[in-house]
Amino acid sequence: MFDYGSGVDVRHSLLTPHSSLIKMNTYHLTNTQQDIEKAAAILRDGGLVAMPTETVYGLAADALNGEAVRRIFEAKGRPMDNPLIVHVADFSDIERLQLVAEIPKKAIKLAEAFWPGPLTIIMKKGSVIPDEVSAGLDTVAIRIPSHPDAHRLMEVSGLALAAPSANTSGKPSPTTAQHVIDDIDGKIEAVLDGGACSVGVESTVITLVADTPRILRPGIITREEIEAVIGPVDVDKAVLNQLESNEKASSPGMKYKHYAPKARVVLLRGEDEKYISFINRKYARDNSIAAMCYDEDKPQINAPCITIGSMDDEKAQAQALFDALRAVDEIGGVKTVYAHCPAVTGVGMALYNRLIRAAAFEIIDLPTKRIIGLTGQTGAGKSEVARLLKESGLPVVSADEAARKAVEGSEVKAMLCATFGDVLKEDGSLDRRLLAQLAFSSPGRTSVLNAITHPAIARIMFDEAEQLDGDTVVFDASQLFESGEDAFCDRIIGILADPELRLDRITRRDGITCEEAQRRMSAQYHEEFFITFCDDILYNNGSAEELYTSVKELYERLVSG
């Protein structure tokens, strides 16, 4: 039991991580001297205090008290194989407390250049560092924060403080005291309110325990700035890529999904115009999406926007990032947020590093080509329009051809058999007619077929499009909207025809009954849908000559932009 003079008892439980915590009263402290002293007393007594730093709020405990450090993992729900950073008030504390086995010369140079500040240096640990801090590694991460309240707290307490971000593990890091309260109020002894953090993303982490110094986590201090002080620096592969499941994290934030709101986050990588077009196409049919974008994007986007600053101000973007990720869940009904992918140079590397983890490494590469979507109702004559456009000079990628390649893939065939039964011929190839009968028998079954096949078909189509000459490619796809490929299109053409004419064409073309043809027709969108979501509508109810004239006129509009 703790009692620090307010008449409120504060209880905590030294339980193993992932066990249930006893609810406690959490002090909400300000940065007065009296409150700083109260927070210091809590830390000396083995308690937890959320403290402000210039980067994010940290959840602090006495770094040399393994039992107190275990409570950090417990309060955050953080896996214990994720090492912590040790914060000190002064460079002399590293040697005084024997935190490291030795201080490399490059550490001294970096300290002179960047401390106090948002840089963490990994060195060989001293024997006093508990395994709870280092996650069993033989190294320890050290930094000197520049925030005056953190500095005062460490001076008054006389402690080195282990302090990861003061949030529930996996959520966006906190940049205000209120964020901490929202996440872990009642799980720790105190929150020290020092205002909003000025940097907004965690410190740059560099290890000096390597032949060449290596950045393990990018931050506001960039690779280029570090190299200007100590020479060549590598960037760990886990900074921009997912760590393998069997690899041990050597720095905080390397291994697990981090910084994520409740909504799904997806990164869109590509040109600004492509990003804006994708968002607007998506939002036209799905109001559960939002955009995380730059100030310059917002006026052109129809969907709800969370902005992170100007394209040209990476430091402002860094400061706004975690606030923006938290704001996603404050927009009612948002299930997916599409983030405008930053560059991976300078401070942009830090932004990218956080966003790919918030997105659980889900990144969509937007096409570099101008994509013209060609779709329509079955039997309307879409394939003939595709042929005429190709003859006119526009390269065409066929979804039907891509589908034939996709469904012969072993993984897709296995999924189709698991869902629809044995739909293979004796030679192991797909029985397309049988599959069509089963899959088009109801809208629900059609949706299941689409979910299995469309991702594979889309991959093939985009790969083929990138290999074609020219900057414009036509996607001939009857399931353009069902597959979600409409969002990638710069323009969409819909081919329609009267129902009676379509029925006649389908039965003669495919040799099926009117009943089968009607089932296929009913499984597609109605005419009003295509009129609403296509940019151009072409009716194919007349002669071949009339169709040819219409397509030539359409071609002229397309090539003229």
Side-chain angles (χ1 to χ4, degrees):
M1 180 187 296
F2 296 107
D3 185 352
Y4 293 104
S6 70
V8 179
D9 289 339
V10 183
R11 294 176 173 84
H12 74 283
S13 172
L14 295 177
L15 304 176
T16 56
H18 311 302
S19 60
S20 59
L21 284 162
I22 296 175
K23 181 76 173 179
M24 65 179 71
N25 295 314
T26 299
Y27 290 108
H28 299 167
L29 306 177
T30 62
N31 56 0
T32 63
Q33 186 61 29
Q34 180 181 2
D35 280 357
I36 293 284
E37 290 174 357
K38 184 181 292 186
I42 291 171
L43 290 166
R44 285 195 297 267
D45 219 344
L48 304 183
V49 175
M51 69 175 184
T53 78
E54 72 279 17
T55 57
V56 299
Y57 273 72
L59 182 54
D62 178 358
L64 305 188
N65 181 340
E67 194 125 309
V69 172
R70 284 182 72 85
R71 290 194 55 230
I72 292 176
F73 293 92
E74 183 183 308
K76 284 175 59 69
R78 177 186 175 108
M80 290 198 69
D81 63 347
N82 208 358
L84 306 181
I85 294 172
V86 175
H87 298 68
V88 294
D90 189 82
F91 190 84
S92 62
D93 293 334
I94 301 173
E95 191 169 17
R96 176 179 66 84
L97 297 171
Q98 299 180 335
L99 301 179
V100 302
E102 62 175 334
I103 301 175
K105 292 180 180 178
K106 288 183 179 179
I108 297 172
K109 289 183 178 181
L110 290 171
E112 290 173 346
F114 301 114
W115 278 354
L119 178 70
T120 294
I121 303 173
I122 293 178
M123 297 172 271
K124 286 286 186 181
K125 73 176 183 180
S127 59
V128 298
I129 299 294
D131 283 345
E132 288 87 349
V133 170
S134 62
L137 299 171
D138 62 355
T139 56
V140 64
I142 307 286
R143 105 171 175 95
I144 302 176
S146 63
H147 196 289
D149 296 338
H151 190 268
R152 288 166 63 202
L153 180 59
M154 288 184 288
E155 280 198 326
V156 172
S157 69
L159 301 174
L161 300 178
S165 56
N167 59 311
T168 300
S169 187
K171 291 188 66 176
S173 297
T175 56
T176 67
Q178 186 60 51
H179 292 162
V180 180
I181 293 167
D182 291 343
D183 276 12
I184 56 174
D185 195 32
K187 297 180 181 180
I188 64 176
E189 280 72 33
V191 177
L192 180 63
D193 191 342
C197 301
S198 59
V199 172
V201 293
E202 300 90 345
S203 59
T204 304
V205 177
I206 183 168
T207 178
L208 298 183
V209 187
D211 293 336
T212 302
R214 189 167 73 254
I215 291 174
L216 304 183
R217 182 179 71 189
I220 204 79
I221 296 175
T222 66
R223 176 186 189 176
E224 294 80 4
E225 290 172 323
I226 293 172
E227 287 185 328
V229 174
I230 61 171
V233 170
D234 291 335
V235 175
D236 195 274
K237 67 175 183 178
V239 165
L240 304 178
N241 301 282
Q242 190 168 13
L243 202 63
E244 297 295 332
S245 59
N246 61 347
E247 290 186 78
K248 193 170 182 65
S250 52
S251 170
M254 291 183 74
K255 189 168 186 179
Y256 300 96
K257 180 181 178 181
H258 268 50
Y259 320 118
K262 294 176 184 177
R264 170 182 170 227
V265 178
V266 180
L267 265 67
L268 298 180
R269 183 163 49 197
E271 296 296 324
D272 301 339
E273 295 79 7
K274 290 284 188 179
Y275 173 82
I276 293 164
S277 175
F278 181 98
I279 295 292
N280 287 340
R281 291 271 188 200
K282 273 284 186 185
Y283 187 69
R285 297 201 297 123
D286 182 2
N287 294 149
S288 71
I289 75 157
M292 182 177 294
C293 59
Y294 303 119
D295 293 345
E296 293 86 347
D297 298 327
K298 185 176 180 179
Q300 305 170 72
I301 291 177
N302 299 330
C305 293
I306 305 103
T307 58
I308 60 170
S310 172
M311 290 179 179
D312 299 325
D313 192 344
E314 289 181 334
K315 290 187 176 181
Q317 294 165 28
Q319 187 178 25
L321 180 62
F322 290 139
D323 283 357
L325 286 167
R326 286 179 177 267
V328 169
D329 290 331
E330 297 173 9
I331 304 175
V334 171
K335 296 179 181 178
T336 303
V337 60
Y338 291 97
H340 198 154
C341 190
V344 293
T345 56
V347 177
M349 185 185 290
L351 296 165
Y352 181 81
N353 171 267
R354 273 50 168 202
L355 282 170
I356 56 174
R357 282 157 175 80
F361 297 89
E362 186 176 0
I363 304 173
I364 294 175
D365 285 305
L366 300 173
T368 61
K369 302 285 180 82
R370 180 176 179 237
I371 304 296
I372 306 298
L374 177 63
T375 188
Q377 299 167 306
T378 182
K382 173 185 59 62
S383 297
E384 180 64 12
V385 173
R387 184 185 69 79
L388 292 172
L389 287 173
K390 187 173 183 179
E391 288 180 357
S392 299
L394 286 177
V396 175
V397 174
S398 168
D400 287 343
E401 293 178 8
R404 280 191 281 273
K405 296 176 183 177
V407 297
E408 291 304 334
S410 57
E411 184 178 347
V412 172
K413 279 199 291 189
M415 293 172 68
L416 291 172
C417 288
T419 304
F420 297 103
D422 187 1
V423 289
L424 301 182
K425 296 178 180 179
E426 290 185 3
D427 62 1
S429 63
L430 192 69
D431 188 332
R432 299 173 189 278
R433 181 164 182 172
L434 174 59
L435 178 62
Q437 290 174 347
L438 296 170
F440 295 129
S441 62
S442 71
R445 282 176 165 258
T446 303
S447 295
V448 173
L449 174 68
N450 292 342
I452 294 172
T453 59
H454 282 162
I457 294 169
R459 283 194 297 272
I460 292 170
M461 293 183 73
F462 284 117
D463 287 346
E464 290 183 1
E466 292 300 324
Q467 295 170 16
L468 292 170
D469 294 333
D471 60 0
T472 300
V473 177
V474 175
F475 272 17
D476 174 10
S478 60
Q479 301 280 300
L480 186 77
F481 290 103
E482 292 89 341
S483 67
E485 289 182 29
D486 60 299
F488 298 93
C489 294
D490 298 276
R491 195 159 190 86
I492 299 176
I493 304 162
I495 311 301
L496 306 178
D498 292 339
E500 296 81 7
L501 186 55
R502 291 169 52 218
L503 184 64
D504 179 63
R505 288 172 179 168
I506 295 168
T507 54
R508 287 190 291 106
R509 181 191 67 194
D510 298 338
I512 60 177
T513 66
C514 289
E515 184 180 2
E516 287 178 308
Q518 285 173 335
R519 276 203 302 268
R520 292 189 189 182
M521 290 168 63
S522 65
Q524 289 191 306
Y525 291 119
H526 294 294
E527 180 176 313
E528 292 77 14
F529 177 90
F530 290 98
I531 292 172
T532 300
F533 294 108
C534 292
D535 302 294
D536 294 285
I537 293 293
L538 193 155
Y539 285 97
N540 181 23
N541 292 323
S543 65
E545 290 76 13
E546 289 172 322
L547 179 63
Y548 176 81
T549 301
S550 297
V551 173
K552 288 297 289 183
E553 292 174 355
L554 176 63
Y555 171 79
E556 294 299 330
R557 292 201 302 274
L558 292 176
V559 297
S560 67

